[in-house]
Each structure stands twice: as structure tokens, then as C-alpha cells.
Amino acid sequence: MTGRSGRQRESRPASLLARLSLARNSLAGQVFSVTAVIVLLLITAAALALVFQARYDSERGARDRSLAAAEAFAHAPGLPAALKSQNPTAELQPLAEGARRASGVDFVAVMTTDGIRYTDSRPELIGRRATGDLARAAAGQSFTEVFRGDPSDAVRAVVPVRDAQGAVVGLVATGIEVENVGHAVEGQLPLLLGAAAGALLLGTGGAALVSRRLRRQTRGLGAAEMARMNEHHEAVLHAVREGVLIVGADHRLLLANDEARRLLNLPPDAEQRHVGDLGLDPGTTELLLSGRVASDEVHLAGDRLLAVNVRPTEPFAGRPSGSVTTLRDTTELAALSGRAEVARERLQMLYDAGVRIGTTLDVVRTAEELSEVAVPRFADFVTVELLEPVLRGDEPSPAAGMHTEMRRAAMSGTRSDQPLQPVGDIIRFVVPTAPMRAALDAGHAVLAADLHAAMGWRAQDEAGTRQALEYGFHSLISVPLQARGVVLGMANFWRAADTPEAFDEEDLSFAEELGARAAVSVDNARRFTREHATAVTLQRSLLPRVLPDLSAVDAAFRYLPAKAGVGGDWFDVIPLPGARVALVVGDVVGHGVHAAATMGRLRTAVHNFSTLDMPPDELLGHLDELIDRIDQLENGGPDEGDARGEGLGEGVENPAGITGATCLYAVYDPVSGHCTMASAGHPGPALVHPDGRVEFPELPTGLPLGVGGMPFETAGLVLPEGSRLVLFTDGLLEDRDRDFDTGLALLSRTLARPGRSPDQACADVLSALLFPAPSDDIALLIADTRRLEPGRIAEWEVPDDPAAVSRVRREATGRLEAWGLEAASFTAELILSELVTNAIRYGTAPVRVRLLHDRNLICEVSDGSSTSPHLRYAATTDEGGRGLFLVAQYAERWGTRYTQRGKVIWAELSPSGGGEAPLPLALDLDALEDLAW
């Protein structure tokens, strides 16, 4: 059903419930609820207190009545005589009942001193002993108590009965049962409850009246809403960075927040004063009095520019409207914007410093990068001084006084005509009060905002500082460059006439941060310089310093370590028997001290293997096996790696093995002009013909050393007389900006120019191909090959007949006389006799003899046998075994090398014929032919 208005009837109860819910949640409802609860609690407590008090009073009255009745009966005349009669019960029972009814107690009992009843309100109890403690009364003391026990709980009094002599002859006990005492209290409860109910109604009604009044004042808002309104009020008026003024219709100031008081410099009692009496700027006063609407009007308030907005307030309760004014300080906003821009520029500068400083790991370049970053965005001029040990890569001494003398490493400025000392000069900081010395002593940046007042700085160099002041220098920040607590140098930031603003405290902190970042880069560069110098020193000590002077080749070399770190490139020129020479060039993978040390080990191994005079492919095979063995010994096998790593201790890495190397080994024979080469992953050489034509012979390129698994191959070619061999590492040809083929073409064009010595050719090649900052080592070896003149070579075919030894000896003596080597002829005859006799006896055909007249005299005897003789000491009783011993004694060097079809035993003799032992005067050379090896 619907009412006349068309609304559902159920809407009214719902509305009533909603109002009740809102009233309960409002502040007035909460106050009413709390007040009602408090009134209820108070009235309940009061009622309980009255009940307990009534009960206490009832019990107290029962005690008093019982005691009075007992004392009255106990002192009644004739009571002691009745107690002593033959039948006390018959005499006293009627008296006791009368006294009970008269006094209003529940019982009156007369007892003996030990508690046997003579009388009682209950006849069945007469003659029985009373329970409870009666000793006090028997002792003559009256007392009252609340008795709990048979026959009933009661408030009783016990009084002794005395005879004429004062002796206790009996006891009188009177009392009121506890149940009757409670009935007395219950009779008062209706009155108490009625009074409590009346008080509750009065208290609740008063709370309702207060709540109704409060609801009108608070408009039915809850506590949370009012707290939120207060928070909003505080936030709007005092927390915001805008001034707020509320002016009433009578032009009196009603409210001003803290920001408005600060901006307008209002007096403490400004509120309720007329706007015209506040002492504001006339324009601002006129705007506030006019009541007109204004938006961002700029008004002056002291030294501030304020943006003022004015809006009228809404009328309330018939009162006329006032106005609300907001004030914003545009002066501070501009200053904040400026500071934010400066901070952004400083952050950008720090980012640029992190990117630009320390890019090369070069100490001097790092100092230059620091000076370039700060000019002109932060300073007009920047000078950087470093300690001498830092420039060398050494650790500077932390001792005091060691940093008073530095060398200027970098300087940048907006102009080049400045009066500061140039780069390279020694700068001394001797005056303790000068900003530089003070910063070094204090360990942090020091600001000299006005150099005219910096007397310590002026006293350090009067003439120089006077020129600097005349030039326009006016402000300075000195920052010590420190890393790990050690002073590395000093950075000075100067401002001159180009920047009239002096440095301030914010600039000081920025300069210190910039110096700290730069110091880390300088220290890293110093460490790299030290390690680089150590590696370079190690590598140069392991590389050949002087090439041997040989007839077979005229060689020159160049070695350049990489800027980023020393690598493992190496080269070598090794003399071999038979006037031959071995040309070697190699490259170890990696950089640093480990690569240099590995290079030294490989170079030593090549030297050792070359003494065995084996072919290039076999030598590389042995070298490859050596690298595998070294890796296994240093890093352990597959099952040993973990155990070896544990034995080193925590935090210690396993020793690094040889991760790989390349090598090119070439053997040149000046007698035949034949060159045999083998490569282990290394680029082949360049061959420059006598006419200037350059070619790169094809040779099989094997796997790098240390990879293993595949044999190496050799390539042989006959070099034209006057040819030039060029051996190099890949660092000469390729880099980030140039590939290998492009570098190879450039090398070919550079080598094609004839008429230059090997040393000149090395210089021209580096000039044409060298990178500004090579990322890899460069090893270059250029060798001009020579042929041994045919007139310096003598060869004989020896028949398989011992008698041929004498003939060979005579022909050799004749050839030595023709060469002018008569002094060496006797020693040569002795050695040839031994070698040829042994070849005929123990070797196989063909047997050949060859004499080479090089810087020394070389005697070679070859045969088809692969059996090698061994030097031994013959016993006294042995008939033979001394021939090879004599050869070793009288030759400067001797040895054996194997060919594809046999062996060659060779011996080198000094052209002067000198030997280690003198020859006997009467030595029969023919008799030596019978000596065995």
C-alpha cells in the first residue's frame, strides 16, 4: 500500500532507523551514549554501596541488641543462685523466654562454663553442649561474633555470669539468626531501587538534553569527521606553503595562517584588527579593503614579490560575506627554480665526470680529463698537481710532509694567456696557511672565497700571486686527491674575471665530490701504470736485447707493448749448426704479467728444442706437448682440479695455465738458400724479393699451441739471393678500426719500397701501420737473407774404404790452406779423421764430408745411419772409445742432427785453430784411424 504521497509505508521506519543510526554515529550520539553508560555505572555502584551498607548496619545492630540482651540477662539478680540450684532449667527457662520476647532476639541460652545448655529457645537443645569457641567467655570476657554452625547461623553475644565473689559460674548467649538479619536488608531494597531508578532517569534525561544541544552545535557530525575537519583546517592554514587571510565584512582580519604572518610580517595580535591597521603595503591594503576579485596580482611586501588571489566567502546565517586571500611568494619560487637548475647541472657534471674521467688508464691523461670536465661549467681555470711517485705508477708515501712538492700534470682554462705555472713545473706548498697546504693537512677541500684576503696564498709566491690577482683571479677551491686515505695529488679550481661570483659552500661540497671521483680514477691509472711497467720490464727482460751477428741473415726488430696491457708476443733469432739460422715469432693469448711469463717459458723451450736441431714441424709438436704438460701440472687433470683448488686455501684462485699461443718457426740454410717453415696458428711471413715484389707464401697453418690433437706440417721454399723475410704478429695489422686483410695490404705497400736496411724498414712499417693506442702487442722481425759463397763450401763423397780417410784429410788440408786457415788445419784433420773413420765403420753409405768457411770453420760428416754416437770416458784398459772425446775437446761445439735419410755429425772450429787442450807434439794421425768411438 502507498500513502497519499505515493511513497511506500515502509520508508518511514527505514528513515527513522537511518536517523537513529546517524544519531548514534554522530558526536552528540557518542556523548549521549558515554554519559548514559557513566550515569548507569555510577547509580549501580551507589546502589550496591547502599545495599552493602544496609547489610553492615543490620549486622551491627544485631550484635548490639544481642550483647545488650545478654548483659541484661547475665546481670539479672538471682541468676547466680539459680545456676547453683538443683534444677536450673526449671527456674531459668521461663525467665529466658520472657527475656527473649522482650528483647526481640531469636534465642537466649544459659549455659555452664563448659557450654552445657540450661535454657534455650529450642527445648530439644537443653542439656546439649553449645558449639563454637566459648573459652573467652569462660575466662570472663564478653564478646560478639557471627556464628556458623549448628543449630543455625546467627549473630550471637556470649556474656559470663559472675557470683558475688566475681567468679564465673555460667554463661549467657543471645543472638539473632543471620537469615533474620538479611530479611531486614531486603525490606530496604524497594526504596533503594526506586531511588536508583529515579537517579538513572534524571541522569539520562540530562545527558539527552546535553546531547541535543551538542547535536545542534556540531550539525550531527561524528568524532572522526570533526577530527578530519580539524586536520584539514590545520593542513590548509598552516601546513601549506601559501599564505591565507580571512577578512570579515567589517574589514577586520578574522584569521591568518603561519605562512601569511611570515610573508606579510604581521604582528602577533593581528587577528580582529582592521586591515588598515596592519601596516601592509598600500596596494595590498587597498585590494583587501575593496573586496574585489583578484587573480595572481603581484604586490610588494618588503623585499618579496607576492602573487595575491582574492575571492569572496559565501554568506552564512544571514551574515554579510567577507573575503579569502591567498598569497604565494614568487621570489622564493624563482630562487628555488634557480637552485634546482644549478643542482641539475651539477648532477649532469658529475655524470659527465664519471663517463669522461679515467677512460685511458693513463695517469696524466686522467688528470687532463679532470681539468677539462670542470672548465668552463664550474671553474674558469683548473690545475692538477700529482706526486712524482704517482706519475711513475708507484705507491706514494703516506708520511707527513711528503706531499708538499708536486708536479703540475694538467691545466685547463677559458683563456690561454693566464699567469699560472705551466704543466711540468714543480709546485711547492710551503706556507701552512695557504689554501693548498691547509687542504693537504686537513684532508678535505678548503675554500678561499676572496683571494685578496688569502694572506697565506699571497705569501707563498708574492710575485706570482700579484700577477694572478691583476689578471682577475678572485676565488679558489683546493681539493686534495685522496684514495684509500693516501694523498695522490691536488686539484685547484679557480674563478677569474669571467665569473664574478665567488665560490660558496655548495661549490665546496661539489668540488670535493668531483675530486673524490677523480682520485679513484687517478689511483686506478697509477696501479695500471705500475702493473704495466712491471709487465713491460718482465717482458723486455725475457725478449732478446741484441740479435746475434750472423752471416746467414742481417736482422732487425721492433717490439711495442700494448697500451691496455702487455701481452705475450715474442721473437727470436737462433743460430743453428751448419751456418743456418732459425727465425721465430709467436703470440701468447692474453695480457699482463702471466702472458709475459708464459712467453718467456715458451721462448726458453724453443731455444732448448732448437739445440736438438729437429725440423720445424717436430719442434712445434714438442712445444705443443710441453704446453699440455704445463697446463696439467699447474691446473691439475679433470679429476684433480677441485682438490688442487682446495689446497690453495679459501679465496685463492687456481693458477692460470697457458690458455693458447701461436708460433711461426722458420729455418734458413744459407748454403742452399732453402727455407723450411711451420706455423701453429700464426700468420705466415712476408717475402720481399730483390726487385721489391712482395708476396705472402702459402704454408699450412696448424692449430694454435695448447689445442693439441693435430700434427703440424712444414712448407719449404728456396729464397732468391738477397731476399727479405718479414715475420710479425697480428697486432701489427689489425685493430678495432682495421681488419687483417686491410693491414696486410698496407704492409705489402710499405715493404715494396727497396733500398732500405732492415732497421729502416722496421721504422717505416711502424710509422705506416702503428695505431695511436695499440690494443695488442706488436712484434716485428725483418731479416735480409744471405747466401754462403760457393768458394767457401767444400764437399767430398767418401767411398766405403778406410783408406779414403787419408785422401779426405789431405784434400781438406789443401782447401784450408786455400782459405788461409792453416792454423786450424791440424785440428780439422784430427776431427775429420775421427768422424770419417767412425762413419765408415759404423755408418751406412753414402758418407759425405762438407767444410763450410763461415765465421767459424764447420766440419760436417753425414751418413745414412740414424745411430747417434755418445760421448763417454774410456777406461785405462780400453783400446778404443776416445775418438769422440778428442773431438769434444778440440772443437768449440759439436753435435748431431738428423736428416730424412740419416744423420750429420758436425763440429765448429775456431779459424785460429785454438782448442781447450794442447795437441801432443808427435801425434800420429794415421794411428787415430784405428781408434774406436
Side-chain angles (χ1 to χ4, degrees), residues 570-574 582-587 606 616-617 619-620 623 661-667 675-686 697-705 712-715 725-729 781:
W570 93 92
F571 63 92
D572 216 336
V573 177
I574 306 172
L583 304 175
V584 189
V585 67
D587 185 1
V606 171
D617 56 339
L619 185 142
L620 292 180
L623 198 61
T662 63
C663 182
L664 174 64
Y665 187 84
V667 177
C675 183
T676 305
M677 294 177 285
S679 172
H682 199 86
E698 294 185 3
L699 72 157
T701 303
L703 296 175
L705 299 173
F712 298 97
E713 300 181 50
T714 60
L725 275 177
V726 181
L727 286 72
F728 51 86
T729 57
L781 178 63

Side-chain angles (χ1 to χ4, degrees), residues 898-930:
Y898 294 93
T899 63
Q900 293 181 351
R901 297 181 180 179
K903 67 177 181 296
V904 177
I905 301 176
W906 54 271
E908 288 188 10
L909 307 178
S910 173
S912 61
E916 294 186 2
L919 288 170
L921 295 178
L923 184 61
D924 187 359
L925 296 181
D926 292 330
L928 293 176
E929 297 175 7
D930 296 330

Side-chain angles (χ1 to χ4, degrees), residues 611-903:
T611 59
L612 301 177
D613 208 352
M614 59 182 64
D617 56 339
E618 293 184 18
L619 185 142
L620 292 180
H622 285 291
L623 198 61
D624 185 57
E625 293 177 1
L626 175 65
I627 291 178
D628 288 339
R629 191 177 307 114
I630 291 175
D631 284 341
Q632 292 177 5
L633 291 176
E634 292 189 350
N635 294 332
D639 299 331
E640 302 175 8
D642 296 340
R644 291 177 61 85
E646 293 176 0
L648 293 175
E650 184 178 356
V652 181
E653 297 180 355
N654 288 333
I658 302 175
T659 56
T662 63
C663 182
L664 174 64
Y665 187 84
V667 177
Y668 173 67
D669 187 353
V671 177
S672 62
H674 191 267
C675 183
T676 305
M677 294 177 285
S679 172
H682 199 86
L687 175 61
V688 183
H689 291 267
D691 58 357
R693 182 168 53 89
V694 180
E695 67 170 316
F696 298 92
E698 294 185 3
L699 72 157
T701 303
L703 296 175
L705 299 173
V707 177
M710 296 296 292
F712 298 97
E713 300 181 50
T714 60
L717 65 156
V718 178
L719 303 183
E721 188 173 359
S723 299
R724 172 174 289 175
L725 275 177
V726 181
L727 286 72
F728 51 86
T729 57
D730 56 1
L732 177 69
L733 303 182
E734 60 181 350
D735 199 79
R736 302 182 186 90
D737 302 326
R738 187 172 67 204
D739 58 21
F740 185 83
D741 294 336
T742 303
L744 207 63
L746 184 58
L747 175 64
S748 178
R749 291 195 297 270
T750 306
L751 294 174
R753 296 195 294 270
R756 295 170 298 171
S757 66
D759 192 73
Q760 293 173 339
C762 285
D764 291 345
V765 167
L766 290 184
S767 176
L769 278 79
L770 185 63
F771 299 95
S775 59
D776 198 3
D777 289 13
I778 295 175
L780 175 64
L781 178 63
I782 297 180
D784 285 351
T785 61
R786 301 192 185 108
R787 288 285 187 92
L788 195 62
E789 298 175 4
R792 290 175 171 263
I793 304 171
E795 295 183 277
W796 296 276
E797 186 83 22
V798 180
D800 190 10
D801 181 6
V805 176
S806 300
R807 179 178 58 82
V808 171
R809 189 170 60 240
R810 286 192 299 271
E811 292 180 2
T813 301
R815 181 56 62 92
L816 292 178
E817 291 177 355
W819 288 343
L821 302 177
E822 295 85 351
S825 61
F826 190 83
T827 305
E829 287 183 53
L830 173 63
I831 292 175
L832 284 175
S833 295
E834 295 298 328
L835 298 180
V836 174
T837 300
N838 185 71
I840 293 174
R841 285 186 178 181
Y842 304 105
T844 59
V847 178
R848 292 185 178 87
V849 176
R850 186 171 73 167
L851 296 180
L852 302 177
H853 182 198
D854 195 23
R855 298 176 184 271
N856 288 333
L857 176 62
I858 303 171
C859 302
E860 296 180 346
V861 177
S862 63
D863 65 81
S865 172
S866 60
T867 304
S868 175
H870 297 282
L871 181 65
R872 67 184 180 89
Y873 287 93
T876 306
T877 58
D878 290 345
E879 294 183 0
R882 298 174 179 83
L884 194 58
F885 178 75
L886 292 175
V887 172
Q889 289 294 311
Y890 293 108
E892 289 192 350
R893 293 194 308 153
W894 74 278
T896 305
R897 73 173 182 270
Y898 294 93
T899 63
Q900 293 181 351
R901 297 181 180 179
K903 67 177 181 296

Side-chain angles (χ1 to χ4, degrees), residues 333-407:
L333 289 177
L336 288 173
S337 300
R339 286 197 295 270
E341 181 64 22
V342 171
R344 188 193 66 80
E345 292 179 358
R346 296 290 169 81
L347 288 175
Q348 181 64 36
M349 198 182 308
L350 288 176
Y351 171 78
D352 294 342
V355 173
R356 294 175 55 184
I357 298 177
T359 59
T360 62
L361 289 177
D362 180 81
V363 175
V364 175
R365 181 55 193 156
T366 302
E368 293 173 351
E369 290 167 345
L370 168 60
S371 64
E372 293 169 358
V373 164
V375 176
R377 291 187 291 176
F378 179 66
D380 296 328
F381 296 90
V382 176
T383 58
V384 181
E385 293 80 36
L386 298 177
L387 292 168
E388 289 287 354
V390 175
L391 292 171
R392 298 192 301 266
D394 297 333
E395 180 82 16
S397 174
M402 298 299 294
H403 48 253
T404 58
E405 184 176 297
M406 301 182 185
R407 186 175 297 276

